[in-house]
């Protein structure tokens, strides 16, 4: 009889290799892509009938000059506060 007891394999054997660290540019790029995806999803949800962006686009389509005047006045009001 031998006293050699077979050792169990190490826990890290067979596991996935450690991924290589990403460059800062790749991390920023992924963050920007995720943000763009979330913002575009929110815009698409807001354009559904009855939602605020849908209502706003209908108003602008019906009265473009009035909407332009309101946007200009709001811009002037916001610029004066700064």
């Amino acid at each position: 009889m031998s006293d050699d007891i077979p050792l169990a394999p190490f826990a890290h054997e067979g596991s996935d290799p450690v991924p290589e660290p990403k460059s800062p540019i790749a991390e920023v790029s992924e963050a920007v892509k995720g943000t763009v995806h979330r913002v575009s999803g929110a815009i698409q949800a807001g354009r559904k009938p009855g939602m605020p962006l849908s209502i706003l686009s209908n108003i602008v389509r019906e009265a473009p000059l009035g909407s332009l005047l309101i946007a200009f006045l709001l811009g002037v009001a916001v610029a004066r506060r700064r």
Side-chain angles (χ1 to χ4, degrees):
M1 241 188 175
S2 82
D3 290 332
D4 294 333
I5 301 173
L7 297 174
F10 292 110
H12 64 81
E13 285 183 7
S15 64
D16 293 332
V18 177
E20 293 183 24
K22 295 181 183 178
S23 70
I25 294 173
E27 290 179 10
V28 170
S29 174
E30 286 182 11
V32 169
K33 287 178 184 177
T35 302
V36 167
H37 182 69
R38 285 190 298 274
V39 169
S40 64
I43 289 172
Q44 290 299 326
R47 289 188 179 188
K48 291 181 180 176
M51 296 299 285
L53 286 179
S54 173
I55 295 169
L56 183 62
S57 66
N58 289 338
I59 292 171
V60 171
R61 194 175 301 120
E62 293 173 7
L65 290 178
S67 299
L68 183 61
L69 176 65
I70 292 171
F72 176 75
L73 292 175
L74 284 173
V76 169
V78 169
R80 284 191 175 192
R81 289 186 179 179
R82 291 183 182 192

